[in-house]
Amino acid sequence: QVQLVESGGGLVQAGGSLRLSCAASGRTFDRRAMGWFRQAPGKEREFVAGINWSGDNTYYADSVKGRFTISRDNGKNALFLQMNTLDSEDTAVYYCARALMMNPYGKYWYDTREYDSWGQGTQVTVSS
């Protein structure tokens, strides 16, 4: 089992930046792909960004492509999400998650059922 804990959320003005972190405790990421999801009030949880085990393949939702960057440091059991040019529509609770696959592709990035471990989430609020 692995426990995931997000941090780095907060209040930021539109156009600003935040860097989210996800740390594992108890165990490592166990050679799994990792992803970031977000959920706004009254909306479904949606995929934001993903990264495979080795870190040489990343995938982004169209809404964040070019603004967000996902990265990982397997030696430190850490996952990151650099968020730039934030907009009020980015306001949500952000979750890190461990995927079932080492190298997801296509629809498997987006489906929450393809992830078996989730953090508690960190709130990101972007003021306009």
Side-chain angles (χ1 to χ4, degrees), residues 24-112:
S25 62
R27 293 182 62 87
T28 70
F29 293 146
D30 292 333
R31 297 191 176 188
R32 307 281 191 88
M34 298 291 294
W36 287 97
F37 288 75
R38 66 186 182 187
Q39 187 167 24
K43 300 183 67 176
E44 296 288 332
R45 188 170 300 186
E46 65 175 355
F47 172 80
V48 176
I51 185 168
N52 72 341
W53 161 248
S54 58
D56 60 356
N57 185 39
T58 58
Y59 200 72
Y60 297 91
D62 289 341
S63 59
V64 307
K65 192 175 299 181
R67 299 188 298 122
F68 291 9
T69 302
I70 187 172
S71 61
R72 66 191 297 165
D73 186 336
N74 290 340
K76 298 180 179 179
N77 297 315
L79 178 74
F80 307 98
L81 184 68
Q82 178 66 46
M83 305 185 295
N84 299 327
T85 320
L86 284 163
D87 185 84
S88 61
E89 295 181 355
D90 296 314
T91 295
V93 176
Y94 283 71
Y95 301 88
C96 68
R98 186 181 70 173
L100 294 172
M101 304 173 66
M102 293 179 62
N103 300 283
Y105 59 93
K107 65 181 180 181
Y108 297 103
W109 282 116
Y110 297 90
D111 195 342
T112 58

